[in-house]
């Protein structure tokens, strides 16, 4: 039973005096007063420059491209022509950080930006022409005066870009298939999308100056080694490259210190010379704040963080460089409570460094959340389209247990959750590493966030994921326990050492439903690309059940092969052309070994994974319907089915109804669930058979969906389970098709528990729970706790919840202006409902509602 | 054994029909005719069908096949087909023939095997939440053998059991099921016999007597009070119930306030029944906060929504 | 008038990371539809003054 004392403590911390259910009280309070726990964050929320996209377009029309980064990078690249690539990359970064414009906005206490002006997007010409033209040719984004200059840059980079380099290793026929987007994600070099986990700890603990000294010492030692008699070529030869890498690291780290100190100077100038009388904090207080910012930005990231303010700022600076300036890299990956706890403890609890109150710490976290919402992100259209309603896949992780099974959540964990409750932003999403062993207060706050309808925390099974990393990635237990999600679903190591740096190591995916369909059509796609994109597997009208399964497996193998090849090519090319020396100096392994950030040979903790999206369950439901009506009941033949599918079910409505009524995954029905298990086992077999660099146990397999289930509708033809071409596909990794789970959340969990979770790195599951139970009743927490306990007992990997009223969503469709606070869970992240396309909105509405009487 | 017991729904993840996460089995048939009924499909003891307009493509086939001429159809450009339920003999031909799933049977016979398998499927959830099986309706005491049999099967499987009843049943029936019942959820609509008769079609003497007898048998019970606007949403009613609850003695574990909601409106429409509460707004916890306080002050544990 | 004579021009000290002879920082308070911000840009000492110019009375 829920403890009344815990609830009372939370209410007191959040200044809520009410006897109403907590969730309802806080919801009503926010509607009345607006989000934010202090005047500062209330103000920042109101004037927040949301930078999310919808339908591939930036919602804020003021957002435009700037060529500042592209220009400075191009200048430096030319000026350093012929230089070793990694040093050239460091010089580009240095040139940019010296000369770029900087700004600090009103009321900010956390500073640092990646754009020339608020609401501008910076471009990455080194990625390739496709990504540049995507922005240059969009009149809504590109001011006309920039177009010619942009085109000139594309021309220059043609010979040096990532795409130019990658394409040379690929057969044109394969390139056509990969670019069709039918079999899976298009190659990284076409959208220049990547992801990583910055090893923040090293910078927060050491400061960059110490790391520069380390590199200098390494160079000194290496040079001494070269002079040692007798010469040893085997040992000495690799040192040349290492010296280059250390040199590049030093250049970039010094540049980052200098850039941070430019902020320090700016903050001081504003404090001392400008009128601050309209500040919501009052001119004197604002001046004090700015002088403190100046002090902080002078200190970090050069030196170790003295307390929470330093730590937060240092982390933000590193984030800006690694994921926005040196490269664009998606996400906001970190185990935030573990990372910041020593500093929080020092400042808030022990008051020994940068002392502050708990409420001030929460305000700072609210500021951080808003800052993430303002991050302008430049990524290829394909990626923007499949991430509607957000800027980017910003997901941080908290919670979990240490290697001895002790609860790792702290007062900071709670503060992070309380800040999320206060500020009501959909980004960054939070992933909670769940275990029933975690204390009730933290779990209660997780529950309260879920009840607000945020869709986060998204919940991952702590123990299961830790065990998987130990068994499949061979990470030591203390590393495996401290995982954070890289993007939506995949855990990666955090800390100082050997974290994941690139999407080519872990990320990317193939399409689910099309693998099954290609098996029906001899590898031909008649719906989107109108071309042969799969392998020839024969005329399906003559297939036996066994032959059909074999054809499906063959199509999966072929599409997966293209994906894995593409990942390794890009990885190789990144190392040659697009090194990130600042990311490298953050990582102890890279500094120790003098290797580039994208090196994967002999990497200690690799994180080799890739996904299916949208869900492979489409294959399962399709196969189940076929088995049921064609091979078991023998009411129809394969030929008849193919005819009906060719007609997109038009004129075959009765037959479609029957195929729709065949057993479906998600209803605790072994008939369907066993076929689903076959699909997952088969796919995991294929993944495990593949040996990517540094992954002797094979690539780890994840089923997730992003929100591709709506946007991919047109790319997936009519399906045997009853779906027509164009309709949304299966939504999450292991979520039943919307509306086809008829037996409620417990039956869904039972079905999902039959999948091979132990073999997989992740399985995304969406569930909808009633608002009445979750937000407006007293027993919601107890019911949810029991549900979560069972979920945990069943060993299911993941679950995330939509707690939203159908009527509210309908009302928001009618009067969007009144509902800008409505957040829904889409796939791996939470989006603002009103920013979604009508189709996406409708499909969320039609997901099974368990509104119970 | 009771014949032809129809089940309208086996609802897993029930959270409002007793403690914890439960599976509720709804039996079809009830002698009361409460106009606010949340489960109108459970009133008649025979098979009926829903008409789901959203699936209907106005093909007119149902009108063609109906042997009774009970379906009026004016062509594709006219209105949706209309059913005259008085003429309908529930032969279900139209339901079986509708190609688009717009007609759907409510009520089917389940074997005990099927039922207990479905109930046992969520055992883990019951164990973790203190939940179990609830047999409800309609009035499940109209089928005492069936209900007792099902409850017994659950008990034998180690599953907690609840009986959800209007209390309107012969004591003999109640006696039959009590041994397999861990907790009785007992509805009280109103304490005034005349008013009760007017609203529900039966007076409440038997009901109140049964409540007393169950209490005397020291069976644990919770009183469930539907709060209906314009009928019993008044302090006096609550005070009377509290007084009655005290008389019942320690058997009463708590009282559940069930504020009126109008989610059933759709079901009325699908059954072509006029809904007396159409357009009446739902009540929210704040509307019954005062009632809650009174009950609490009298020393009873109270929930809103059960 | 050149940037050098402007109130908003801040020379960068020698030895700073971004020191470059003949260049300094131009710091302006700006406002757009969302709010206020303070922007620093690199400015050449001898660049002709812009519309924002204010004489340096320091
Ligand atoms: S047969 Fe079905 S779809 Fe056709 S008119 Fe009747 S109810 Fe509608
Ligand atoms: S169920 Fe009723 S409406 Fe339908 S065919 Fe039979 S008599 Fe006609
Ligand atoms: S650019 Fe304009 S505002 Fe800036 S320093 Fe020069 S004259 Fe002054």
């Amino acid at each position: 039973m829920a403890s009344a004392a815990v609830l009372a403590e939370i209410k007191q911390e959040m200044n809520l005096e009410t006897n109403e259910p907590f969730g309802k009280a806080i919801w009503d309070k926010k509607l009345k007063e607006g989000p934010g726990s202090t005047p500062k964050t209330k103000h920042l929320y109101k004037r927040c420059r949301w930078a999310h996209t919808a339908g591939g377009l930036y919602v804020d029309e003021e957002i435009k491209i700037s060529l500042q980064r592209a220009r400075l990078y191009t200048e430096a690249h030319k000026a350093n022509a012929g230089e070793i690539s990694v040093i050239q990359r460091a010089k580009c970064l240095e040139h940019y950080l010296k000369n770029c414009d900087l700004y600090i906005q009103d009321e900010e206490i956390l500073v640092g930006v990646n754009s020339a002006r608020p609401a501008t997007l910076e471009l990455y010409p080194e990625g390739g022409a496709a990504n540049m033209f995507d922005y240059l040719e969009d009149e809504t984004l590109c001011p006309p005066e920039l177009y010619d200059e942009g085109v000139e840059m594309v021309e220059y980079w043609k010979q040096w870009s990532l795409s130019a380099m990658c394409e040379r290793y690929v057969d044109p026929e394969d390139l056509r298939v990969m670019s069709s987007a039918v079999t899976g994600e298009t190659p990284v070099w076409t959208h220049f999308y990547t992801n990583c986990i910055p090893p923040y700890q090293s910078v927060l603990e050491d400061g960059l100056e110490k790391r520069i000294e380390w590199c200098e010492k390494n160079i000194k030692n290496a040079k001494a080694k070269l002079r040692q008699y007798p010469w040893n070529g085997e040992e000495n030869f690799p040192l040349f490259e290492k010296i280059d890498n250390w040199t590049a690291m030093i250049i970039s780290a010094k540049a980052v210190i200098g850039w941070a100190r430019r902020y320090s100077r700016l903050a001081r100038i504003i404090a001392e010379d400008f009128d601050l009388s309209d500040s919501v904090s009052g001119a004197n207080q604002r001046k004090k704040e700015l002088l403190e910012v100046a002090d902080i930005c002078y200190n970090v990231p050069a030196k170790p963080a003295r307390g929470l303010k330093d730590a937060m700022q240092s982390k933000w600076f590193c984030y800006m460089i690694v994921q926005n300036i040196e490269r664009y890299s998606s996400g906001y990956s970190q185990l935030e409570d573990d990372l910041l706890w020593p500093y929080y403890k020092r400042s808030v609890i022990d008051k020994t460094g940068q002392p502050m109150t708990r409420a001030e710490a929460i305000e700072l976290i609210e500021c951080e959340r808003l800052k993430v919402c303002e991050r302008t992100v430049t990524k290829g259209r394909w990626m923007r389209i499949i991430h509607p309603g957000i800027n980017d896949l910003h997901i941080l992780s908290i919670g979990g247990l240490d290697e001895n099974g002790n609860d790792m959540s702290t007062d900071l964990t709670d503060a992070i959750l309380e800040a999320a409750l206060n500020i009501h932003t959909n980004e960054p999403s939070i992933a909670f590493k769940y275990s029933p062993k975690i204390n009730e207060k933290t779990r209660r706050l997780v529950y309260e966030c879920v009840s607000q309808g945020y869709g986060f925390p998204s919940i991952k099974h702590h123990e299961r994921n830790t065990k998987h990393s130990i068994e499949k990635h061979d990470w030591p237990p203390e590393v495996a326990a401290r995982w954070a999600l890289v993007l939506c679903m995949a855990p990666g190591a955090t800390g100082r050492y050997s974290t994941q740096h690139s999407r080519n190591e872990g990320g990317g995916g193939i399409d689910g439903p099309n693998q099954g369909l290609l098996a029906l059509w001899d590898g031909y796609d008649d719906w989107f690309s109108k071309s042969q994109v799969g392998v020839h597997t024969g005329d399906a009208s003559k297939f036996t059940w066994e032959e059909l399964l074999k054809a499906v497996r063959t199509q999966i193998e072929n599409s997966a092969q293209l994906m894995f090849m593409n990942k390794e090519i890009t990885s190789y090319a990144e190392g040659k052309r697009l090194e990130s020396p600042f990311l490298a100096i953050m990582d102890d392994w890279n500094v120790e070994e003098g290797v580039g950030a994208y090196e994967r040979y002999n990497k200690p903790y690799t994180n080799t994974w890739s996904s299916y999206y949208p869900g492979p369950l489409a294959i399962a439901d399709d196969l189940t319907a076929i088995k049921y009506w064609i091979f078991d009941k023998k009411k129809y033949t394969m030929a008849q089915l193919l005819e009906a599918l060719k007609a997109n079910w038009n004129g075959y409505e009765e037959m479609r109804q029957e195929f729709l009524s065949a057993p479906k995954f998600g209803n605790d029905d072994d008939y369907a669930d066993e076929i689903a298990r076959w699909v997952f086992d088969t796919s995991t077999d294929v993944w495990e058979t593949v040996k990517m660099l540094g992954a002797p146990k094979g690539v780890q397999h994840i089923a997730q969906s992003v929100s591709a289930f709506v946007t991919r509708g047109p790319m997936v033809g009519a399906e045997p389970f009853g779906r027509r071409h164009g309709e949304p596909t299966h939504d999450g990794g292991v979520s039943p098709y919307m509306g086809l789970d008829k037996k409620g959340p417990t039956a869904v969990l039972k079905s999902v528990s039959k999948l091979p979770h132990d073999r997989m790195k992740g399985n995304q599951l969406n569930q909808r729970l009633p608002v009445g139970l979750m937000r407006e009743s007293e027993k919601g927490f107890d019911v949810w706790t029991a549900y979560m306990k069972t979920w945990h007992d069943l060993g299911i990997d993941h679950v995330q919840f939509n707690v939203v009223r159908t009527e509210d969503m309908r009302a928001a469709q009618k009067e969007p202006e009144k509902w800008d606070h409505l957040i829904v869970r889409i796939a791996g992240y939470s989006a603002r409902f009103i920013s979604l396309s009508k189709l996406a909105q409708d499909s969320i509405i039609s997901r099974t509602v368990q509104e119970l009487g | 054994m009771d014949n032809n017991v129809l089940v309208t729904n086996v609802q897993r993840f029930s959270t409002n029909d007793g403690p914890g996460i439960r599976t509720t089995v709804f039996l079809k048939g009830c002698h009361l005719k409460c106009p606010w009924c949340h489960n109108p499909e459970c009133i008649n003891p025979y098979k009926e069908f829903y008409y789901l307009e959203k699936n209907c493509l106005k093909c007119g086939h149902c009108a063609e096949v109906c042997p009774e001429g009970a379906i009026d159809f004016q062509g594709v450009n006219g209105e949706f087909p209309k059913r005259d339920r008085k003429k309908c003999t529930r032969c279900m031909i139209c339901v079986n023939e509708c190609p688009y799933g717009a007609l759907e049977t409510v009520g089917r016979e389940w074997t005990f095997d099927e039922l207990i398998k479905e109930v046992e499927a969520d055992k883990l959830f019951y164990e973790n939440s203190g939940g179990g099986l609830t047999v409800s309706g309609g009035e499940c005491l109209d089928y005492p053998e069936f209900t007792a049999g099902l409850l017994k099967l659950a008990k034998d499987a180690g599953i907690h059991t609840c009986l959800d009843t209007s209390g309107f049943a012969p004591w003999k029936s109640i006696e039959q099921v009590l041994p397999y019942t861990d907790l009785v959820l007992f509805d009280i609509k109103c304490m005034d016999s005349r008013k009760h008769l007017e609203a529900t079609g039966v007076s409440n003497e038997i009901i109140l007597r049964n409540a007393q007898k169950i209490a005397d048998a020291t069976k644990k019970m919770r009183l469930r009070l539907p709060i209906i606007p314009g009928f019993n949403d008044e302090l006096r009613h609550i005070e009377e119930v509290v007084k009655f609850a005290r008389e019942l003695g320690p058997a009463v574990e708590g009282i559940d306030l069930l504020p009126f909601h109008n989610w059933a409106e759709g079901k009325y429409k699908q059954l072509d029944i006029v809904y007396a509460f159409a357009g009446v707004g739902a009540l929210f916890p704040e509307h019954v906060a005062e009632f809650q306080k009174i009950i609490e002050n009298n020393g009873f544990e109270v929930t809103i929504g059960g | 008038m050149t940037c050098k004579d402007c109130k908003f021009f801040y020379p960068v000290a020698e030895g700073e990371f971004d020191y470059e002879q003949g260049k300094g920082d131009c710091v302006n308070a700006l406002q757009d539809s969302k709010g206020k911000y303070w922007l620093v840009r690199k400015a050449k000492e001898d660049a002709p003054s812009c519309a924002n110019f204010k004489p340096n009375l320091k």
Side-chain angles (χ1 to χ4, degrees), chain B:
Chain B
M1 188 66 192
D2 302 307
N3 289 323
N4 306 324
V5 182
L6 297 177
V7 174
T8 60
N9 191 11
V10 178
Q11 187 171 46
R12 291 164 70 169
F13 197 68
S14 261
T15 57
N16 294 313
D17 301 305
I21 296 173
R22 315 189 70 82
T23 297
T24 304
V25 176
F26 292 91
L27 306 187
K28 201 159 165 19
C30 177
H31 289 290
L32 276 62
K33 302 278 174 291
C34 313
W36 58 80
C37 179
H38 291 171
N39 296 321
E41 77 282 14
C42 291
I43 296 177
N44 295 322
Y46 42 72
K47 272 189 196 174
E48 293 172 278
F49 65 87
Y50 285 135
Y51 168 66
L52 310 168
E53 196 179 278
K54 70 172 179 21
N55 292 356
C56 176
L57 295 184
K58 291 196 198 171
C59 70
H61 193 57
C62 51
E64 274 164 34
V65 299
C66 174
E68 307 294 331
I71 302 182
D72 179 24
F73 181 65
Q74 304 292 347
V76 200
N77 298 321
E79 286 181 13
F80 284 101
K82 279 208 183 69
R83 294 139 309 278
D84 183 341
R85 299 266 183 173
K86 284 206 192 81
K87 273 194 195 165
C88 170
T89 56
R90 298 181 305 276
C91 70
M92 299 295 170
I93 291 176
C94 61
V95 176
N96 296 330
E97 292 277 321
C98 169
Y100 302 113
L103 298 169
E104 191 182 274
T105 312
V106 239
R108 92 167 164 89
E109 292 177 44
W110 287 61
T111 65
F112 272 169
D113 269 359
E114 281 177 303
L115 274 175
I116 198 70
K117 191 172 160 237
E118 191 74 7
V119 170
E120 282 188 340
D122 279 352
K123 224 175 148 185
L124 255 180
F125 292 91
Y126 311 150
E127 281 162 12
N128 285 329
S129 69
L133 164 70
T134 297
V135 184
S136 177
E139 179 47 71
C140 54
L141 290 175
D142 285 3
Y143 312 101
E145 281 172 56
F146 184 92
T147 302
L150 181 57
L151 291 171
K152 178 170 187 310
L153 281 175
K155 283 244 67 103
D156 291 348
I159 293 171
H160 178 269
T161 56
C162 277
L163 176 78
D164 183 11
T165 176
S166 70
F168 187 74
W171 177 247
K172 206 168 77 231
S173 301
I174 299 177
E175 252 183 337
Q176 234 171 313
V177 303
L178 277 192
Y180 314 110
T181 304
D182 292 318
L183 175 66
V184 180
L185 307 174
F186 199 99
D187 286 12
I188 304 271
K189 274 116 190 165
C190 126
M191 298 298 294
D192 180 278
S193 162
R194 267 274 273 302
K195 205 170 152 190
H196 198 280
L197 175 67
E198 270 165 29
T200 71
V202 305
S203 72
N204 64 5
E205 279 92 25
I206 298 179
I207 295 174
L208 299 181
R209 203 176 320 130
N210 282 338
Q212 188 66 57
K213 282 184 167 170
I214 294 172
D216 294 345
T218 68
K219 226 353 124 185
K220 285 188 201 153
M221 61 200 296
R222 297 187 72 89
L223 303 185
R224 289 163 69 84
L225 317 186
I227 304 297
I228 309 298
F231 172 63
N232 62 9
D233 56 339
E234 51 191 11
L235 277 181
R236 217 189 56 205
H237 169 58
I238 303 300
E239 283 160 356
E240 285 169 2
V241 172
V242 167
K243 185 164 159 265
F244 179 64
R246 276 220 225 86
E247 287 162 19
L248 291 179
V252 179
E253 270 200 338
I255 295 179
D256 302 324
L257 293 169
L258 311 179
F260 169 78
H261 64 70
N262 43 25
W263 301 335
E265 186 156 0
K267 289 197 279 188
Y268 279 89
K269 225 169 140 191
Q270 290 165 7
L271 291 166
D272 303 310
I273 305 176
V274 180
Y275 184 37
F277 282 76
V280 176
L283 297 181
F284 291 98
E286 55 266 32
H287 295 117
V288 297
E290 205 186 340
F291 301 167
Q292 184 183 13
K293 217 175 282 156
I294 293 178
I295 301 173
E296 256 164 15
N297 290 346
N298 279 279
F300 290 102
E301 195 258 318
V302 57
T303 76
I304 298 175

Side-chain angles (χ1 to χ4, degrees), chain A residues 82-90 248 574-579:
Chain A
E83 180 54 278
I84 297 278
S85 169
V86 64
I87 294 178
Q88 196 181 20
R89 288 286 293 167
E574 262 182 353
K576 291 287 174 201
R577 286 264 167 95
L578 279 179
E579 263 302 341

Side-chain angles (χ1 to χ4, degrees), chain A residues 41 109-110 308 312 336 340 344 356 358-371 396 411-420 423 425 428 430:
Chain A
T41 55
I109 46 177
L110 185 62
L308 185 64
M312 189 66 101
E336 190 173 40
L340 295 182
Y344 180 90
M356 66 201 294
R358 190 173 189 277
E360 284 167 339
I362 287 177
E363 178 186 61
L364 181 59
I365 299 167
E366 289 173 29
C367 289
E368 180 198 17
R369 295 189 65 82
L370 290 167
K371 196 99 176 117
L396 58 84
D411 189 41
L412 173 58
T413 317
D414 298 346
I416 291 169
L417 291 164
E418 286 174 39
I423 201 67
T425 58
I430 297 175

